[in-house]
Short mmCIF file of all heavy atoms in Angstrom, two decimals:
data_model
loop_
_atom_site.label_atom_id
_atom_site.label_comp_id
_atom_site.label_asym_id
_atom_site.label_seq_id
_atom_site.Cartn_x
_atom_site.Cartn_y
_atom_site.Cartn_z
N ASP A 648 5.92 18.73 10.39
CA ASP A 648 6.61 19.93 10.24
C ASP A 648 8.14 19.85 9.84
O ASP A 648 8.79 19.04 10.48
CB ASP A 648 6.51 20.82 11.54
CG ASP A 648 5.15 21.33 11.68
OD1 ASP A 648 4.41 21.71 10.81
OD2 ASP A 648 4.65 21.24 12.94
N VAL A 661 24.36 19.22 6.04
CA VAL A 661 23.25 19.99 6.45
C VAL A 661 22.31 19.02 7.09
O VAL A 661 22.27 17.86 6.66
CB VAL A 661 22.42 20.65 5.13
CG1 VAL A 661 22.04 19.55 4.17
CG2 VAL A 661 21.41 21.52 5.53
N TYR A 667 6.62 15.35 13.79
CA TYR A 667 5.36 14.69 13.42
C TYR A 667 4.53 14.37 14.52
O TYR A 667 5.01 14.06 15.66
CB TYR A 667 5.55 13.59 12.52
CG TYR A 667 6.19 12.34 13.13
CD1 TYR A 667 5.43 11.39 13.82
CD2 TYR A 667 7.60 12.10 13.12
CE1 TYR A 667 5.97 10.26 14.29
CE2 TYR A 667 8.17 11.11 13.74
CZ TYR A 667 7.36 10.10 14.37
OH TYR A 667 8.00 9.08 14.98
N GLN A 679 13.66 12.79 -2.00
CA GLN A 679 14.20 13.90 -2.75
C GLN A 679 13.35 14.31 -3.94
O GLN A 679 12.94 13.47 -4.56
CB GLN A 679 15.68 13.65 -3.10
CG GLN A 679 16.37 14.86 -3.83
CD GLN A 679 17.64 14.40 -4.46
OE1 GLN A 679 17.70 13.60 -5.43
NE2 GLN A 679 18.76 14.98 -4.02
N GLY A 696 16.74 5.24 15.95
CA GLY A 696 18.22 5.18 15.67
C GLY A 696 18.57 5.68 14.31
O GLY A 696 17.76 6.43 13.62
N PHE A 703 24.11 10.11 2.70
CA PHE A 703 22.84 10.39 3.47
C PHE A 703 22.47 9.59 4.58
O PHE A 703 22.74 8.29 4.53
CB PHE A 703 21.65 10.34 2.44
CG PHE A 703 21.63 11.22 1.25
CD1 PHE A 703 20.66 11.14 0.25
CD2 PHE A 703 22.54 12.31 1.21
CE1 PHE A 703 20.76 12.01 -0.82
CE2 PHE A 703 22.56 13.20 0.29
CZ PHE A 703 21.67 13.06 -0.88
N GLU A 720 29.00 16.07 2.71
CA GLU A 720 29.77 16.39 1.52
C GLU A 720 28.72 16.84 0.38
O GLU A 720 28.75 16.29 -0.73
CB GLU A 720 30.61 15.02 1.11
CG GLU A 720 31.44 14.54 2.09
CD GLU A 720 31.94 13.08 1.72
OE1 GLU A 720 31.83 12.71 0.50
OE2 GLU A 720 32.52 12.41 2.58
N SER A 728 14.31 19.72 -3.21
CA SER A 728 13.30 19.74 -2.03
C SER A 728 13.44 18.36 -1.30
O SER A 728 13.46 17.46 -2.07
CB SER A 728 11.95 20.00 -2.59
OG SER A 728 10.96 20.10 -1.47
N LEU A 730 11.61 15.96 1.22
CA LEU A 730 10.17 15.71 1.81
C LEU A 730 10.24 14.63 2.90
O LEU A 730 10.71 13.42 2.63
CB LEU A 730 9.38 15.18 0.80
CG LEU A 730 9.07 16.03 -0.55
CD1 LEU A 730 8.27 15.40 -1.50
CD2 LEU A 730 8.57 17.46 -0.17
#
Side-chain angles (χ1 to χ4, degrees):
Chain A
D648 290 319
V661 70
Y667 63 91
Q679 181 191 63
F703 295 170
E720 301 170 16
S728 181
L730 309 176

